[in-house]
Amino acid sequence: AYSTAKGGIASLTLVQAAELGRYGITANALAPSARTRMTEQAFADKMATQGAEFDVMDPANIAPCVVWLGSAESRDVTGCVFELEGGKIMIEDGWREGPAIDKGARWEPAQVGEAVERLLAERAAPRKVWGS
């Protein structure tokens, strides 16, 4: 049920982007990988922080992309599902992984735009949705 719900969010994002774009409304989704109460127990080895110079699973690593998406700089970005983990930003390509950039450290919100521009240039052109 969890995976089905996530797939529904991704599909809804694509449809919203196509249908609301004519009104200047953008729609994007996040697929974050970070430490939570649920993941700490389910994926204990992956969530461990001992000996790591950079805490890849720190939830704060997700915030810079969220800040950037809420800014005017992202006004032309729509219909994207961003997979975020540590210093990695990836734009999903349907049910496959798309282009990715891994900084190996936490991003600053001001750096996210340039990274997303590069990823958008590298990805396959999205298919037109009927009615758009």
Side-chain angles (χ1 to χ4, degrees), residues 35-50:
R35 186 180 310 101
T36 66
R37 287 188 304 263
M38 180 179 76
T39 61
E40 276 183 318
Q41 296 188 7
F43 307 105
D45 290 342
K46 187 172 182 177
M47 297 299 141
T49 60
Q50 296 85 344

Side-chain angles (χ1 to χ4, degrees), residues 78-126:
T78 192
C80 294
V81 177
F82 292 93
E83 185 172 330
L84 309 167
E85 180 181 304
K88 182 178 179 181
I89 300 174
M90 179 177 13
I91 298 177
E92 295 295 334
D93 180 13
W95 303 113
R96 297 178 306 242
E97 292 183 341
I101 297 173
D102 190 347
K103 180 180 173 184
R106 184 173 303 147
W107 293 84
E108 292 296 325
Q111 300 171 319
V112 173
E114 186 177 322
V116 170
E117 283 181 34
R118 190 170 127 204
L119 294 172
L120 289 172
E122 292 176 15
R123 77 174 177 166

